[in-house]
């Protein structure tokens, strides 16, 4: 038994390594967007606004795709989803080789790559939470650090390819690199969804739908066996009318089964909103993710406004990448090795981020900006890593695809409003100070939501559902 358990643990870490590879190739490649952005403006002679469309479309489509994860789980296993997602990403990037205008790149890279990357990211998060229970945070941090390491490798590599092979040739070569992730998918293994013994009550209509799906599937299988037996042993007794009626019955049963699967997924999405902890986790996760990615996008411009050179300001992104890896890998060791409780780490992170965002407008020297960027990268990464793990612990692994999909989609919808607010702060008011003050107050509000008393009340409401 000990040997079996040790082999299982080794296999789990191999799966985590495979997820890291697919995240590094598929999601890490997205860090070359800055290099592609400048090259598109030069090669196609378009404005910066038009050159930015493929990347904004890709991000929005990728976020919205996560909402379909609950429906896809009803029909395809995770290995199939990741395999198809990598192929779609590679195809979307490779077709850009044929692009004669930016609109083609927007449709190919923005939509096809967006759908594929959304599927790959969500599937990896789900499978890691299924495989790991003891070291779930460490494993999640490992796969998410693949995207951070992509910022070290791919931007200079893409710049090298563009210099020697041009923009179109680089699209084709990088699409071939993405296909290397297909090798890692061979280590993926279909897993059953573990259920809690003392889970929250599931509505009767969900249970009924599950039973209907199983009964229809069994009936369909029985009918198939009956046709095979009768065809072999009694070929003359089956006329064309009987065969047609049996096939029609099978088709109707399959349609009912597919309909029930769709309804089951839809009811699961609606059921998520009955968990009070879903609102706590989703609201605080959205605050952490949106503020961090907005900070990364605006910190260079803010540093230049503070009198720093553009060359020195770009190094802030390198500092952020290093801190992301530290936060995503280090956070799991503190939590999974029982050094700190998960709720304590979350509260410390939110309070620290609230303080840092409040200090940045006041103390904005170059040394302070580097320090703030590193600290924000560490604490924000701790929160991002714990997002999916919190859904698994408080809502159950069976509800993870639905909760994670809803949260990511809401984050994408809110993201459409951010450019307007950023433009108001910088172009109308003339400073990013208001933006950082708003982020600071939001993180303080999130820290209050994660206070012990409010969490206890939310859990009590969950048990009463």
């Amino acid at each position: 038994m000990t040997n079996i358990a040790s082999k299982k643990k080794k296999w789990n870490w191999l799966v985590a390594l495979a997820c890291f590879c697919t995240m590094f190739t598929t999601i890490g490649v997205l860090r070359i967007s800055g290099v592609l952005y400048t090259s598109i403006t030069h090669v196609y002679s378009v404005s910066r606004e038009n050159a930015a469309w493929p990347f904004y479309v890709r991000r929005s489509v990728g976020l919205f795709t996560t909402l379909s994860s609950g429906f896809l789980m009803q029909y395809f296993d995770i290995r199939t989803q990741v395999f198809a997602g990598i192929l779609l990403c590679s195809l979307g990037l490779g077709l850009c080789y044929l692009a004669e205008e930016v609109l083609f790149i927007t449709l190919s890279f923005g939509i096809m790559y967006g759908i594929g990357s959304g599927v790959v990211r969500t599937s990896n998060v789900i499978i890691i939470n299924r495989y790991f229970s003891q070291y779930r945070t460490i494993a999640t941090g490992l796969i998410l650090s693949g995207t951070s390491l992509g910022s070290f490798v791919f931007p200079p590599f893409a710049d090298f390819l563009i210099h020697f092979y041009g923009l179109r040739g680089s699209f084709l070569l990088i699409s071939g690199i993405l296909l290397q992730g297909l090798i890692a998918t061979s280590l993926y293994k279909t897993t059953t969804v573990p259920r809690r013994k003392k889970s929250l009550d599931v509505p009767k209509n969900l249970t009924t739908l599950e039973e209907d799906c199983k009964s229809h599937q069994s009936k369909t299988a029985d009918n198939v066996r009956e046709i095979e037996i009768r065809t072999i042993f009694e070929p003359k007794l089956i006329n064309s009318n009987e065969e047609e009626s049996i096939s029609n019955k099978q088709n109707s049963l399959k349609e009912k089964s597919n309909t029930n699967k769709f309804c089951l997924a839809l009811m699961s999405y609606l059921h998520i909103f009955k968990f009070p902890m879903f609102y706590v986790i989703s609201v605080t996760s959205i605050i952490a993710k949106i503020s961090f990615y907005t900070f990364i996008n605006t910190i260079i411009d803010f540093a230049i406004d503070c009198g720093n050179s553009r060359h020195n300001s770009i190094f802030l992104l390198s500092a952020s990448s290093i801190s992301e890896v530290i936060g995503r890998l280090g956070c799991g060791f503190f939590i999974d090795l029982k050094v700190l409780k998960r709720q304590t780490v979350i509260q410390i992170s939110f309070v620290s981020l609230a303080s840092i965002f409040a200090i940045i407008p006041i103390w904005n020297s170059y040394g302070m900006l580097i320090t703030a960027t590193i600290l924000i990268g560490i604490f924000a990464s701790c929160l991002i890593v714990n997002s999916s793990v919190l859904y698994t612990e408080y809502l159950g692994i069976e509800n993870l695809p639905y909760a994670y999909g809803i949260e990511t989609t809401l984050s994408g919808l809110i993201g459409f409003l951010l450019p307007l607010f950023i433009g108001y702060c910088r172009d109308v008011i003339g400073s990013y100070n208001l933006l950082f003050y708003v982020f600071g107050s939001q993180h303080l509000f999130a820290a209050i939501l994660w206070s012990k008393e409010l969490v206890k009340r939310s859990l009590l409401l969950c048990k009463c559902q």
Side-chain angles (χ1 to χ4, degrees), residues 249-283:
K249 188 175 182 180
Q250 290 178 16
N251 292 331
S252 64
L253 288 173
K254 289 179 181 179
E255 290 177 0
K256 289 181 181 179
S257 178
N258 291 331
T259 303
N260 286 337
K261 286 182 179 179
F262 181 84
C263 294
L264 175 63
L266 183 60
M267 291 299 296
S268 298
Y269 276 112
L270 297 176
H271 180 59
I272 290 296
F273 292 99
K274 294 184 178 181
F275 293 94
M277 280 304 298
F278 166 72
Y279 297 96
V280 176
I281 300 171
S282 61
V283 169

Side-chain angles (χ1 to χ4, degrees), residues 18-32 58 81-91 93 109 112-122 124 143 146-147 150 154 174-175 177-185 188:
C19 293
F20 170 85
C21 293
T22 55
M23 291 287 283
F24 175 74
T25 54
T26 308
I27 312 299
V29 165
L30 296 176
R31 296 299 181 100
I32 67 173
R58 199 283 320 161
Q81 293 183 48
V82 176
F83 193 90
I86 293 174
L87 283 179
L88 199 60
C89 289
S90 179
L91 182 62
L93 198 61
F109 176 79
M112 295 181 67
Y113 201 113
I115 294 174
S117 61
V119 171
V120 171
R121 182 183 180 88
T122 307
N124 281 328
I143 67 168
T147 60
F154 287 111
I174 296 173
S175 69
I177 294 174
L178 293 177
L179 292 177
Q180 307 308 309
L182 296 178
I183 302 174
T185 58
Y188 284 54

Side-chain angles (χ1 to χ4, degrees), residues 31 147-149 151-152 292-293 295-297 299-300 313-328 369-381 384:
R31 296 299 181 100
T147 60
S148 301
L149 290 175
S151 62
F152 291 101
F292 175 66
Y293 293 125
F295 173 78
I296 294 300
N297 291 333
I299 185 58
I300 293 179
S313 300
I314 291 176
F315 280 104
L316 295 174
L317 294 181
S318 300
S320 175
S321 300
I322 296 172
S323 63
E324 283 183 58
V325 176
I326 295 173
R328 294 181 178 186
L369 289 179
I370 291 181
T371 305
T373 302
I374 293 174
L375 293 177
I376 288 175
I378 292 174
F379 290 120
S381 296
I384 293 172

